[in-house]
Amino acid sequence: MSVASYLCYPHLMRKVLTRAFFDRSAERVARELLGMYLVRRIGTREEAFRIIETEAYVGPHDLACHAAKGLTKRTEVMFGPAGRFYVYFVYGMHWMLNIVTEREGYPAAVLIRGIEGAIGPGRLTKRLAITGVFNGAKAVRESGLWFEDRGTAPSPRTIRKTPRIGVAYAGKKWARKKLRFVLVAPASQTSRR
DNA sequence: ACGATGATGAAC
DNA sequence: TTCATCATCGTA
């Protein structure tokens, strides 16, 4: 494959996001995951979905973050190294997919809330057949679930910041923080004037 | 608009 | 033991 091919067909660029990408603040990771791809492999079948909605849960002081409860059996994955999935069950029905961020020992994560074709964290996991078996797994090819940079980073002007969904219990300060990131023009790769 | 779903952890 | 939760679907 020549360099020219990549220039003509930017989607052929496929760079798997490694631990270093996630070993940063949850807020930055949440913002930069917009436009990246979540890739799922089941057997030999592979599907990639552009990420269009995320939320950052920024640490133990963030009262909306499960880690604010401290180290428990459920939250222990968040206390581990970055680049692993934190998957938990809510409301007796839905699996929520998060990716752990920050250094080992500092609990923080990004909730993947929406991909093209499946808006909503519960719908997304159902669509990709993601359950608790992914909890603690590394986001690498071998796991069957990973992230890729396909060279389609969105223009900053297509990114919206809003308060997170369903976190009123966290108190005004944390419920109001704009830690939800939404890509409003998923198809466009560059800014429009 | 509201009830059902049913793991986890905190409050009681 | 009871209650609320990082939703969603079916029924009214």
Side-chain angles (χ1 to χ4, degrees), chain A residues 5-18 21 32-41 44-51 116 141 144-154 183 186-190:
Chain A
S5 300
Y6 281 101
L7 293 173
C8 295
Y9 305 101
H11 290 277
L12 293 181
M13 173 195 164
R14 294 179 53 155
K15 197 173 82 180
V16 176
L17 299 185
T18 59
F21 178 88
E32 292 184 23
L33 272 179
L34 294 182
M36 299 292 187
Y37 282 76
L38 180 62
V39 190
R40 177 76 165 108
R41 177 179 51 77
T44 56
R45 182 179 171 76
E46 204 173 291
E47 288 186 288
F49 303 83
R50 197 156 190 245
I51 296 167
E116 280 185 338
R141 238 177 171 290
L145 186 64
W146 68 96
F147 298 92
E148 286 184 8
D149 179 353
R150 297 195 167 188
T152 57
L183 197 52
S188 72
Q189 293 169 218
T190 55

Side-chain angles (χ1 to χ4, degrees), chain A residues 16-172:
Chain A
V16 176
L17 299 185
T18 59
R19 178 175 165 177
F21 178 88
F22 301 102
D23 200 354
R24 301 180 296 149
S25 80
E27 183 168 0
R28 270 197 82 177
V29 172
R31 185 175 63 241
E32 292 184 23
L33 272 179
L34 294 182
M36 299 292 187
Y37 282 76
L38 180 62
V39 190
R40 177 76 165 108
R41 177 179 51 77
I42 300 176
T44 56
R45 182 179 171 76
E46 204 173 291
E47 288 186 288
F49 303 83
R50 197 156 190 245
I51 296 167
I52 59 177
E53 184 180 343
T54 60
E55 278 178 0
Y57 289 84
V58 301
H61 58 301
D62 175 0
L63 298 184
C65 182
H66 287 166
K69 311 281 189 190
L71 180 67
T72 67
K73 179 129 187 177
R74 180 166 70 161
T75 64
E76 68 179 346
V77 174
M78 262 199 286
F79 285 80
R84 298 188 184 200
F85 294 111
Y86 167 46
V87 183
Y88 67 91
F89 198 61
V90 275
Y91 298 118
M93 290 191 94
H94 306 294
W95 293 101
M96 299 287 115
L97 176 68
N98 299 256
I99 184 73
V100 174
T101 66
E102 286 274 10
R103 68 176 192 275
E104 188 164 1
Y106 189 92
V110 171
L111 172 64
I112 311 300
R113 287 192 60 91
I115 54 180
E116 280 185 338
I119 305 297
R123 290 172 179 165
L124 177 162
T125 53
K126 187 177 179 186
R127 171 71 182 80
L128 298 192
I130 293 165
T131 68
V133 301
F134 281 99
N135 192 44
K138 293 178 184 176
V140 295
R141 238 177 171 290
E142 294 69 38
S143 300
L145 186 64
W146 68 96
F147 298 92
E148 286 184 8
D149 179 353
R150 297 195 167 188
T152 57
S155 157
R157 61 189 292 141
T158 64
I159 295 175
R160 298 287 177 273
K161 284 179 69 171
T162 81
R164 294 170 292 185
I165 303 299
V167 297
Y169 64 90
K172 284 181 185 173

